[in-house]
Amino acid sequence: MPTLASSASSADSAHYGPQLGDAEFDFIRHVVGENAGIVLGPNKRQLVQGRLARRLRELGLPSYEAYCEYLRDAGPEELVGLINAITTNVTSFFRENHHFEALASYMLPEAMKRNAASRRIRIWSAGCSTGEEPHCIGMVAGEVLPSSPRYDFKILATDIDSDVVAAATSGIYPVDRMSSVSQERLKRFFHKGSGDNEGSAVAKQDLKSMITFRTLNLLHAWPMKGPFDVIFCRNVMIYFDQPTREKLVNRFSEMLTPGGYLCIGHSESIHAGSAPFKLVGKTIYRRNGGANG
């Protein structure tokens, strides 16, 4: 769930070291907008300066002008560094829990009925951040899906930030971040870390095996074919402009099976007529078609 980063260091960096000039800020805004779809308004200038100050130090560059030249020359590799630097990922286990309750109560049961012959169920966590969301989806599926007959159940989890995807893949979380996970779920799906992982909860292999993590820019080509029964894309589209949101929603609709569901963030909405979706719950949209119309 990428969002624009904010930290005390951003404010501090505004007063010390290189300053981000108008031309450089405009260039960075353009690069980020074109490649990640994130809209950086004029009020984000100090934030961008603060976040990129660390990147300048890492690269040994003396100024933002030098960084922009480096960005032009380095190509896609540094583009990843830029996006990772200016975004942060705010998430938690069972955040906006009504989506997971809906997943258990009707999304998965409908998918089981719809896919009774193939027993194939696919869910996409688009903007998975450090992995809490897909791990929650996996826990719910583990509770709902029967052990026999066994379902071909998989979760695709993607994010634009390669750093958080690497962290998510590990399935290791500090215990103090697990307060919203019940003791029953902790016992069933995690084990206590030891050694270097002391004080952490480590996802068990049965849970980890449900999830495939990949780095993916939502604005670029999507290598997967689908269809998906449910797509979670929460608190991602709020940072895009309206035309980009509408294009993305239409692409999601094409990846969903008829009757499948799209879950979005609490501050987001889909405009009527922009895609073949019907609002069926709090920030839950159902793609038209299927048994329920």
Side-chain angles (χ1 to χ4, degrees):
M1 301 173 192
T3 180
L4 295 184
S6 179
S7 67
S9 63
S10 299
D12 294 342
S13 298
H15 302 291
Y16 303 100
Q19 299 296 299
L20 180 59
D22 293 343
E24 291 73 36
F25 180 50
D26 287 344
F27 174 69
I28 290 168
R29 290 172 66 185
H30 174 75
V31 170
V32 171
E34 287 293 309
N35 291 278
I38 297 173
V39 179
L40 293 172
N43 62 321
K44 299 297 183 182
R45 179 169 176 163
Q46 295 302 328
L47 183 148
V48 171
Q49 177 175 308
R51 293 300 290 185
L52 286 182
R54 183 185 308 166
R55 191 69 185 140
L56 263 65
R57 293 194 295 271
E58 291 171 351
L59 296 170
L61 297 173
S63 66
Y64 291 96
E65 182 179 5
Y67 176 75
C68 289
E69 288 301 320
Y70 177 82
L71 182 60
R72 290 185 181 97
D73 295 337
E77 183 175 346
E78 180 51 30
L79 179 60
V80 173
L82 170 63
I83 300 301
N84 289 359
I86 68 165
T87 59
T88 189
N89 292 268
V90 180
T91 188
S92 61
F93 283 93
F94 293 100
R95 185 184 187 194
E96 299 183 55
N97 189 49
H98 63 282
H99 288 147
F100 301 105
E101 293 173 345
L103 181 67
S105 65
Y106 59 86
M107 293 181 189
L108 282 174
E110 285 181 18
M112 291 165 62
K113 182 178 180 180
R114 180 171 56 242
N115 306 321
S118 67
R119 295 203 292 274
R120 177 190 183 277
I121 298 176
R122 295 291 186 270
I123 297 180
W124 179 13
S125 170
C128 68
S129 184
T130 45
E132 286 87 342
E133 179 177 274
H135 282 103
C136 290
I137 295 169
M139 283 186 267
V140 171
E143 294 167 344
V144 172
L145 298 180
S147 56
S148 180
R150 194 169 186 86
Y151 277 78
D152 175 17
F153 176 80
K154 296 292 182 183
I155 303 163
L156 173 64
T158 66
D159 200 282
I160 194 172
D161 188 332
S162 57
D163 293 338
V164 299
V165 170
T169 303
S170 73
I172 301 172
Y173 299 93
V175 171
D176 60 10
R177 288 173 58 186
M178 309 292 291
S179 60
S180 56
V181 181
S182 69
Q183 288 300 312
E184 292 79 8
R185 282 172 168 164
L186 275 175
K187 184 176 180 180
R188 178 174 176 181
F189 295 106
F190 293 84
H191 58 78
K192 291 183 178 180
S194 58
D196 292 342
N197 296 325
E198 186 74 30
S200 297
V202 181
K204 292 182 178 179
Q205 187 56 38
D206 284 351
L207 178 57
K208 292 185 68 173
S209 65
M210 298 180 189
I211 311 168
T212 299
F213 289 98
R214 292 286 185 268
T215 302
L216 179 70
N217 186 328
L218 290 175
L219 301 191
H220 292 175
W222 296 350
M224 60 282 194
K225 298 183 183 300
F228 292 94
D229 297 282
V230 184
I231 296 176
F232 283 70
C233 185
R234 306 189 302 169
N235 306 306
V236 175
M237 292 188 291
I238 192 173
Y239 300 101
F240 300 158
D241 59 27
Q242 188 59 35
T244 302
R245 289 180 204 146
E246 293 179 1
K247 181 179 179 181
L248 189 58
V249 166
N250 277 286
R251 293 180 74 188
F252 283 144
S253 73
E254 294 170 359
M255 294 296 288
L256 275 170
T257 190
Y261 292 92
L262 173 63
C263 298
I264 62 177
H266 67 278
S267 298
E268 299 167 326
S269 63
I270 294 176
H271 290 284
S274 63
F277 284 106
K278 178 182 179 181
L279 180 65
V280 296
K282 183 181 179 183
T283 58
I284 298 173
Y285 293 81
R286 187 177 188 277
R287 186 191 162 186
N288 296 336
N292 296 329

